[in-house]
Amino acid sequence: MAEGEAVKVAVRVRPFNSREKNMNAKLCIRMEGPTTYIKDLEGGDEEKFFTFDYSYWSYDGFEDVDGVLTPTTDHYADQKKMFDDVGVGIRDNSWNGFNCSLFAYGQTGSGKSYSIVGYGKN
């Protein structure tokens, strides 16, 4: 286990699903580096911000290439980016005999399963 390893916290914003698109949902999140900014779209200009180990932008900046979501910008975080940043350390530590956990938390339909295992070719 690497010296100084600790709990890492990552957040990811996903594209709107069809229900959200049909409701004309508006994006209230932006991300810069490890910081996530949230704005109340119904009032005020103040943004709240939270800094994590990783803030992954997966809302846009990709194209579908034969069923694989491929980045078109450096800002987009694909499955490979997430695995390289978070999964590799967990995998390596578990192979070295350490107990490891990966925990996904969020509302139903928020993208937890996709972020952990993907689906289809992703």
Side-chain angles (χ1 to χ4, degrees):
M1 187 159 97
E3 189 67 32
E5 289 256 0
V7 171
K8 294 179 184 173
V9 178
V11 296
R12 187 180 197 185
V13 63
R14 60 161 174 75
F16 286 147
N17 60 33
S18 58
R19 183 181 69 80
E20 293 161 337
K21 289 177 184 175
N22 291 337
M23 294 173 53
N24 295 315
K26 298 197 182 340
L27 186 65
C28 64
I29 303 281
R30 70 182 178 90
M31 295 177 161
E32 292 179 16
T35 304
T36 299
Y37 298 85
I38 303 173
K39 184 173 182 177
D40 179 359
L41 297 177
E42 295 184 4
D45 290 329
E46 180 183 355
E47 286 183 311
K48 297 207 181 277
F49 64 93
F50 304 89
T51 301
F52 303 95
D53 294 294
Y54 304 100
S55 288
Y56 293 112
W57 182 262
S58 298
Y59 178 77
D60 60 9
F62 63 89
E63 64 182 354
D64 187 326
V65 178
D66 296 324
V68 177
L69 303 182
T70 305
T72 57
T73 67
D74 290 338
H75 197 51
Y76 179 76
D78 62 358
Q79 293 298 97
K80 182 176 180 352
K81 170 76 171 151
M82 292 195 62
F83 180 73
D84 290 347
D85 288 350
V86 179
V88 169
I90 293 169
R91 181 201 62 198
D92 291 348
N93 284 334
S94 66
W95 283 350
N96 288 320
F98 295 97
N99 291 325
C100 300
S101 297
L102 180 60
F103 178 74
Y105 177 81
Q107 186 173 351
T108 299
S110 63
K112 299 176 299 294
S113 296
Y114 178 75
S115 289
I116 301 300
V117 297
Y119 63 84
K121 294 180 181 180
N122 291 292

